[in-house]
Amino acid sequence: MEENSNSNESNQPKRRNPYRGNRSRRPNNGNQRPQETDVDGNRVETPREPREPREPREPREPREGGQRPPFNNNRNRNNNNRRPNPNNPNGQQRPPRPQNSEETPRAEGEEEQGGDRNSNRRRSGKRFDVKVDPALMEYVEKNRKIHLDRLNPHHKLDLESKGKLRITPLGGLGEIGGNIMVIETQKEAIIIDIGMSFPDEEMHGVDILVPDFTYLYEIREKLVAFIITHAHEDHIGAVPYLFKELQMPIYGTPFPLAMIGNKFDEHKMSDFKKFFHPVEKRKVIKIGNDFEIEWIHMTHSILDNSSLAITTEIGTIIHTGDFKIDHTPVDGFPADLHRLAHYGEKGVVCLLSDSTNSYNINHTPSELTVAPAFDRIFSKHVGRIFMSTFSSNIHRVEQAIQYGLKYNRKICIIGRSMERNIEVAVQYGYVDLPKGIFIDQDEVNRYNDNELLIVTTGSQGEPNSALFRMALGEHRHVKIKETDMIILSARAIPGNESSISKMLNYLQRAGAQVAPATADIHVSGHAGIEEQKLMLRLTNPKFFLPVHGEYNHIYRHSQTAKLCGIPERNILLMSDGDQVELTPRYMRKVRTVKTGKTYIDNQNNHQIDDDIVIDRQKMAQEGIVMIIAQVGRADGKMISKPRVTTFGLVPDKKDKAFAHEIEDVLELFLANVKEGMLENPKAMENDLRQVVRKHINRKMKKFPLIVPTVFIM
């Protein structure tokens, strides 16, 4: 039995020693040095006895032939513990590999299946001898030449032309809005768009800003027409203010002219509608003697938008206006890319393209993409729904109305500009809405909350807008309540963020739910980078002038143009007032003209002088000091104590102390007044103003508005 058991153990595979490589787990069999521990059982290291030094080795004898012996890793080639190879059951050794791979035997058909893997790897670096067909190579060169010719605009232009064109932006660069541009030949000039912009918070009492028209008055003899691209306020808002001084034909498509007509009615200028010249798209219009212009349909966030193809003696320039490439617009009329390609094939000297959305790396979504968000909100909300957007975005309003009708809601339009724009769109057939769906403001309280859709202005937080007054509870007919849903379907114009935030605070304090302008509820009306590339490729211009936007926008647009093959020397970044001279051979800046802004009070549509706005800013920032004094003509001394009144400079409790200071300053001033000054009160007031200003600046580091009044008795 013992022999059998030993034989069985010898036949079994050896088990791995579990204590191998871990000395701490090996049992002490008496051969290891015992480990010492303390009273707590912790291991204590004991010092080892030093080893005796080894004797130095004798030097080895040199090898015969100086060759190193073969390396031996002590590996047993005949290891019986290896897993048997099923392809070699007898354990025969593999024959040695031949020195030359070409001598390797290959089975029949192996080359067709891929051959030896190593030989394929060696052949991959080998260059194949391909026989070039001269006939095919000839057409390769011909096609390459065709590509170069179609991408090179020089061959399409009249480089011998002696004509010159000057382009001068008076607004719209370095800002958002206020677009106006002058294009002039040596004898004639046209104006493209006349837009307004909005003031900042420091322009107190100012409602809108219009461009400075000084340069237009200088060249008034050359001007032949106003050219309008579309009906946004930043392109037509300033037309009435210029038209009061300069009357000439206005060319544009019907909807922009109808909107300008409404402005003329507001300004009591209805007689000037006789200057309207409506145009037909895809038809070249002769304007003056030097200009031929075609209006090209282009999609945007407003109806009846156009780009311009302007042909003069030097060739054709394309002005895109505001645009985006919407392949599925609400009205079914996509951008007329065929006409752009037509002019690109003929040859375009210069492209002036919209830069507002130059940082959007994606394609701007279609206007139809907001429809699912409207459907979702309208289907779930049971209270009143308020939708606010730009009053000119008729397609957005139309979609909201359609979903309001789908869920059996009556439509109430609130806001003068919104009512006017929708009425114009309906009357001219741009929008088809059924009759009987609208109710007046005073009828809102007669309907249940789930039966109402209120479309209103105020998406930018304008203090006088309908939505802002509703949020404050100051609207005559509509007050915000807790069950209301507010949809803000418009992005914030730069500069309006604070006013929008203030309005949102009032709305939410009133308990309303607010759906902000997220990506699914608002889409931009301006082209992103991919659409800008498409415009550049379709028109293929020689020169490029990015327009419409701040400097960082036009700079980013210029980088996109470089990617599309326009050389950097053919791109120029303009600012307002820069005058650029353009010919088929070159483009250069020649001079700078006067530009600026004019302040408008929208309550009476009158201009506000610059010094009034400056005084308002100074009063708001530094305060005001008013001094009234009576001085005797005989002795030059004060007859009574002066009256000193301050606003925005010192608190009320310090008014008396400040008045005593000014009294002392006035006494010192009168004691040192020059001879004959009493005979000139105005000169005395100017000197007193300087003295008081220095005193206040020395003590308070302020420069208030000082108004002295001195009576010589």
Side-chain angles (χ1 to χ4, degrees), residues 13 54-55 73 94 121 140 174 258 265 349 392 518 606 609 665 707-708:
R54 295 182 179 180
E55 296 180 359
N73 59 359
R94 183 181 298 174
R121 189 177 303 166
V140 169
D265 293 338
V349 180
S392 59
T518 54
H606 289 167
D609 293 333
V665 172
V707 185

Side-chain angles (χ1 to χ4, degrees), residues 558-613:
S558 69
Q559 302 304 306
T560 302
K562 293 177 187 177
L563 294 176
C564 292
I566 298 182
E568 185 175 2
R569 65 180 181 273
N570 289 355
I571 302 173
L572 198 151
L573 306 185
M574 298 185 295
S575 299
D576 286 344
D578 290 346
Q579 191 167 89
V580 175
E581 186 175 88
L582 183 67
T583 72
R585 288 184 172 272
Y586 65 84
M587 177 177 64
R588 65 184 179 185
K589 176 183 173 183
V590 291
R591 68 169 181 148
T592 301
V593 304
K594 182 183 177 182
T595 58
K597 296 297 179 184
T598 301
Y599 309 110
I600 301 296
D601 183 355
N602 215 17
Q603 302 302 319
N604 52 22
N605 291 323
H606 289 167
Q607 177 180 342
I608 305 174
D609 293 333
D610 295 355
D611 55 347
I612 295 177
V613 178

Side-chain angles (χ1 to χ4, degrees), residues 193-196 210 213 226 228 233 235-246 250 260 263-264 269 276:
D193 293 335
I194 313 165
M196 51 153 279
V210 300
F213 302 132
F226 295 141
I228 305 300
E233 290 293 322
H235 290 259
I236 66 169
V239 171
Y241 302 98
L242 178 58
F243 218 80
K244 292 175 183 178
E245 305 295 333
L246 298 174
I250 304 179
I260 295 174
K263 292 184 175 295
F264 283 178
M269 300 166 53
F276 288 174

Side-chain angles (χ1 to χ4, degrees), residues 509-538:
R509 280 179 184 149
Q513 304 177 48
V514 179
T518 54
D520 63 337
I521 213 169
H522 170 71
V523 293
S524 174
H526 296 273
I529 291 178
E530 294 303 317
E531 294 149 285
Q532 292 173 350
K533 291 179 181 178
L534 179 58
M535 179 64 70
L536 287 161
R537 289 302 189 185
L538 287 174

Side-chain angles (χ1 to χ4, degrees), residues 385-391 397 412-419 422 453-459 465-470 475 480 486-488:
I385 296 178
F386 294 72
M387 200 284 292
S388 181
T389 186
F390 297 112
S391 61
V397 175
C412 179
I413 308 296
I414 301 180
R416 185 179 61 178
S417 60
M418 185 76 74
E419 294 175 2
I422 294 177
L453 167 63
I454 299 175
V455 181
T456 180
T457 57
S459 61
S465 65
L467 185 59
F468 201 99
R469 288 186 285 116
M470 294 177 198
H475 196 271
I480 299 297
I486 314 296
I487 303 174
L488 295 180

Side-chain angles (χ1 to χ4, degrees), residues 287-314:
I287 298 177
N289 296 318
D290 296 343
F291 296 95
E292 293 181 353
I293 303 178
E294 177 183 343
W295 275 254
I296 301 172
H297 181 70
M298 193 59 55
T299 47
H300 186 39
S301 56
I302 195 171
L303 297 169
D304 214 0
N305 181 61
S306 302
S307 296
L308 302 173
I310 305 170
T311 303
T312 63
E313 183 182 356
I314 71 167

Side-chain angles (χ1 to χ4, degrees), residues 133-183:
D133 189 341
L136 296 180
M137 192 63 190
E138 178 185 357
Y139 281 88
V140 169
E141 296 299 331
K142 287 183 178 180
N143 286 328
R144 182 182 291 113
K145 185 177 183 302
I146 289 173
H147 288 311
L148 295 176
D149 289 343
R150 71 179 178 86
L151 293 175
N152 188 355
H154 297 269
H155 305 303
K156 307 172 185 178
L157 305 179
D158 181 11
L159 301 179
E160 303 300 326
S161 173
K162 303 298 182 182
K164 295 180 181 179
L165 200 68
R166 291 199 172 185
I167 300 173
T168 311
L170 301 180
L173 287 171
E175 61 177 338
I176 302 295
N179 300 287
I180 177 173
M181 178 174 290
V182 181
I183 298 180

